[in-house]
Amino acid sequence: DGGITQSPKYLFRKEGQNVTLSCEQNLNHDAMYWYRQDPGQGLRLIYYSQIVNDFQKGDIAEGYSVSREKKESFPLTVTSAQKNPTAFYLCASSPRRDTQYFGPGTRLTVL
Amino acid sequence: AQTVTQSQPEMSVQEAETVTLSCTYDTSESDYYLFWYKQPPSRQMILVIRQEAYKQQNATENRFSVNFQKAAKSFSLKISDSQLGDAAMYFCAYRERSGNTPLVFGKGTRLSVIA
């Protein structure tokens, strides 16, 4: 089955903890993206990667970090420096110069 | 920087009727992509329709069609014969044609379908 998977579906974080959200794709897409969605805010770009071992900051990168060691994987770490991390996180991928396809998302809640 | 504006936070339509969702964008590029995505209560983002700016013909996918006005930088979505399953958030998005640049999204329009 080809597609984009995100895990976990729900994630709870205590204050001061780092957590990592997983995103995997088996579509052989070059580029991968992380977006954050808050109510009434649409989607905002956190980080994106156009190629393995390279990534760029998006509009709201502070408090987040990423890696792209494999083409298939683009994990997002939410660090303790992110003061308001409760949100819905969407991962996407795209082949060169084409449509972005999205995973099912991860809902992160700070306790 | 490119921006996308959806001026209708909420819309409603009677089942089987037609509704049009508005989107405007700002760019200095001449070649780009425009998209409409649907986000139902499951929150999965689903591609509805895609338009390439260099194509003058408006894109159509079954009951969904667009009115692309390049000079006016307008990209509206028309849903015909609305169904209960069309109820969702709809996002308009822009992307430059070159490279794998990220999408720029509008804030969305929440569509309700009334039985």
Side-chain angles (χ1 to χ4, degrees):
Chain A
D1 236 18
I4 304 168
T5 58
Q6 290 186 241
S7 61
K9 187 173 182 179
Y10 299 97
L11 185 58
F12 298 91
R13 191 193 93 168
K14 293 181 180 179
E15 295 275 357
Q17 273 186 339
N18 291 355
V19 291
T20 297
L21 283 60
S22 170
C23 179
E24 304 275 334
Q25 54 99 0
N26 60 4
L27 301 168
N28 199 35
H29 288 173
D30 292 317
M32 298 186 74
Y33 311 82
W34 274 106
Y35 294 90
R36 169 176 170 148
Q37 186 177 26
D38 296 282
Q41 294 288 328
L43 277 71
R44 293 183 291 169
L45 181 68
I46 305 172
Y47 269 98
Y48 67 104
S49 168
Q50 297 184 336
I51 195 170
V52 173
N53 292 323
D54 187 44
F55 47 84
Q56 289 80 40
K57 292 183 179 180
D59 301 320
I60 56 166
E62 185 176 353
Y64 299 97
S65 66
V66 294
S67 63
R68 186 89 186 275
E69 297 176 1
K70 299 186 300 182
K71 189 174 186 178
E72 302 80 19
S73 179
F74 191 41
L76 173 74
T77 297
V78 184
T79 74
S80 57
Q82 171 51 238
K83 296 307 178 188
N84 185 24
T86 294
F88 187 66
Y89 291 86
L90 283 159
C91 178
S93 70
S94 69
R96 184 166 292 279
R97 298 182 182 180
D98 209 325
T99 307
Q100 286 186 21
Y101 299 91
F102 286 82
T106 293
R107 174 71 184 178
L108 173 62
T109 303
V110 174
L111 301 174
Chain B
Q2 293 85 5
T3 58
V4 176
T5 302
Q6 294 179 248
S7 59
Q8 306 151 317
E10 296 184 358
M11 293 280 285
S12 61
V13 62
Q14 293 279 349
E15 198 175 3
E17 296 295 310
T18 296
V19 64
T20 299
L21 308 184
S22 300
C23 173
T24 58
Y25 58 95
D26 187 24
T27 183
S28 58
E29 301 291 325
S30 60
D31 201 7
Y32 46 85
Y33 297 109
L34 293 164
F35 306 87
W36 280 97
Y37 282 88
K38 169 185 177 181
Q39 188 179 43
S42 67
R43 305 196 78 172
Q44 172 77 56
M45 292 285 283
I46 301 165
L47 177 68
V48 174
I49 202 162
R50 170 180 178 268
Q51 175 80 40
E52 298 180 62
Y54 73 91
K55 291 186 177 179
Q56 298 205 357
Q57 186 172 7
N58 289 326
T60 300
E61 288 288 341
N62 300 315
R63 298 182 295 106
F64 298 87
S65 61
V66 298
N67 183 5
F68 174 48
Q69 301 289 329
K70 190 172 184 180
K73 296 181 181 176
S74 171
F75 183 61
S76 60
L77 175 70
K78 186 172 82 171
I79 305 173
S80 303
D81 185 26
S82 297
Q83 301 174 359
L84 294 177
D86 295 333
M89 284 289 290
Y90 286 83
F91 292 97
C92 179
Y94 164 99
R95 181 182 187 182
E96 292 179 7
R97 186 172 178 84
S98 61
N100 268 323
T101 53
L103 294 172
V104 177
F105 285 89
K107 291 193 173 184
T109 296
R110 182 174 299 281
L111 178 66
S112 301
V113 180
I114 303 164

